Amino acid sequence: MELPRIVSVDDHVIEPAHLFERWLPARYRDRGPRPLTTGIGRLEYTGGKYVIAMDPDGPPADWWIYEDLRFPYKRNIAAVGFDRDEMTLEGITRAEMRPGCWDPAERLKDMDLNHVEASLCFPTFPRFCGQTFAEARDKEVALACVRAYNDWMVEEWCGDSGGRLIPLCLIPLWDVDLAVAEIHRNAARGVRAVTFSELPTCLGLPSIHTGYWDPFFAACQETGTVVNMHIGSSSQMPAASPDAPPAVQATLSFNNAMASMADFLFSGVLVRYPRLKLAYSEGQMGWIPYALERADDVWEEHRAWGGVRDIVPEPPSTYYYRQIFCCFFRDKHGVASLDAVGRDNATFETDYPHVDSTFPHTKAVALEHVRGLDDETVRKLMRGNAIRMLGLDLDPLGG
């Protein structure tokens, strides 16, 4: 089988040190994020949270300093090029990273090595949906940072890529009216993807059931902007016990995506906004068939007392198949259940440059998953569904 070139809907970018100096208006720079290279001390991941200390005498790492935040880059998020046992929580500098982590020209070269035509990249320092700026005290500067990041994303990271790097923008999560304005500002220059929290209440924000976010959903529907929700965009990962090793959170990482999808299916949001598109990133898909079966059963048997009789007129799976996309990169069970997952709903990702990334062996990994599927389905999974989801000007057949 000749695998078509991949359109990856979940990769990541390490922000260059010059980002805010170049893109943040001068009047905000002394209060905005500043890059620093210095030593790192204690660095642990406990109960779904990082515990980090700065130590000038420790091994060097590249940091961002912003208000009270001290944010170091870690080897597990810039893992490509390291052996599996070297993908640790140690600090790392950009000089030690593979240049494709932060340099767009080098990223395109790595995409060529990895059989990838186009890539959608989530942020790192701002966190998956811009929580860093939502938590800041000075919201005037925070808003300027969101806009600066988006300007850098559109004009520098994606600007010279010929459409191969797909812009994914942030919103100011703390103000829905500002969020709507940012959606329209970016849509006017061709952006069709925004990142959002899978579970906004975990960030202290209103739930999707309140109606607070409806202007945001309406703006996304109007502009054709896909709402992309990455695992961990609720600033927490599922854990069975507070002292469980990180491997437990890694195993359960899909749980928040499953909870978020149930939230949306029973919220009425997809009923009110029938052209709104949601995308779950890095959540895999093997869990989806039973989640849909259970949701439909609850709707059929329990909708009256369950509080959804008047807001969800059709079985919840109806809205999933119409409006929700999932993605996978290691999920043979999901591929085996593809008819229930939805051949038009599944997309593929490489997770470059994270520890989970299949780089540089993505083509082999993908072939192992799709062997035995018909050519049309393979094209849908590897690129066609992503092209349709994001409205990309790419050939669905690939090459």
Side-chain angles (χ1 to χ4, degrees), residues 331-386:
D331 190 346
K332 293 180 181 178
H333 181 73
V335 174
S337 308
L338 198 54
D339 284 332
V341 169
R343 292 177 186 241
D344 293 322
N345 301 79
T347 60
F348 196 72
E349 62 165 289
T350 80
D351 201 31
Y352 182 111
H354 281 190
V355 67
D356 252 336
S357 179
T358 51
F359 176 89
H361 309 296
T362 296
K363 183 177 182 179
V365 171
L367 282 170
E368 187 180 0
H369 278 72
V370 303
R371 190 171 288 112
L373 298 177
D374 62 272
D375 289 348
E376 181 184 3
T377 298
V378 172
R379 283 194 295 270
K380 286 182 177 182
L381 298 180
M382 294 296 108
R383 61 186 288 116
N385 290 341

Side-chain angles (χ1 to χ4, degrees), residues 30-98:
D30 62 338
R31 292 179 286 160
R34 294 177 289 108
L36 176 68
T37 302
T38 191
I40 193 166
R42 182 186 181 201
L43 204 167
E44 298 175 1
Y45 186 73
T46 304
K49 301 288 184 182
Y50 287 104
V51 179
I52 300 168
M54 188 179 287
D55 179 0
D57 296 324
D62 277 339
W63 301 69
W64 287 103
I65 310 302
Y66 177 49
E67 294 191 342
D68 296 331
L69 177 65
R70 304 291 182 264
F71 181 97
Y73 287 120
K74 302 173 291 296
R75 191 177 288 192
N76 65 326
I77 62 169
V80 291
F82 291 97
D83 292 333
R84 179 62 55 186
D85 289 336
E86 295 177 331
M87 297 179 183
T88 64
L89 284 180
E90 295 174 65
I92 191 172
T93 64
R94 292 179 186 84
E96 297 171 295
M97 299 175 191
R98 191 174 179 92

Side-chain angles (χ1 to χ4, degrees), residues 75-216:
R75 191 177 288 192
N76 65 326
I77 62 169
V80 291
F82 291 97
D83 292 333
R84 179 62 55 186
D85 289 336
E86 295 177 331
M87 297 179 183
T88 64
L89 284 180
E90 295 174 65
I92 191 172
T93 64
R94 292 179 186 84
E96 297 171 295
M97 299 175 191
R98 191 174 179 92
C101 293
W102 49 269
D103 182 311
E106 293 297 322
R107 176 63 66 94
L108 293 175
K109 294 177 185 177
D110 279 355
M111 289 162 60
D112 288 337
L113 287 174
N114 205 31
H115 201 67
V116 173
E117 180 172 6
S119 168
L120 184 77
C121 292
F122 282 83
T124 301
F125 163 64
R127 311 218 301 277
F128 291 139
C129 66
Q131 301 102 300
T132 293
F133 303 124
E135 293 169 0
R137 293 187 303 273
D138 189 330
K139 289 300 191 287
E140 181 184 0
V141 176
L143 177 60
C145 288
V146 167
R147 290 173 172 166
Y149 178 91
N150 291 340
D151 291 344
W152 165 80
M153 165 62 62
V154 174
E155 299 181 36
E156 183 176 326
W157 178 252
C158 300
D160 295 328
S161 70
R164 295 185 63 192
L165 293 171
I166 306 160
L168 175 62
C169 286
L170 306 175
I171 57 168
L173 289 163
W174 61 91
D175 187 312
V176 72
D177 293 328
L178 292 175
V180 167
E182 193 63 10
I183 290 294
H184 285 291
R185 184 177 83 94
N186 292 314
R189 50 183 174 174
V191 175
R192 294 295 179 266
V194 65
T195 180
F196 187 64
S197 176
E198 58 198 356
L199 298 171
T201 56
C202 294
L203 305 180
L205 300 169
S207 85
I208 62 169
H209 302 278
T210 62
Y212 174 83
W213 295 105
D214 280 11
F216 165 68

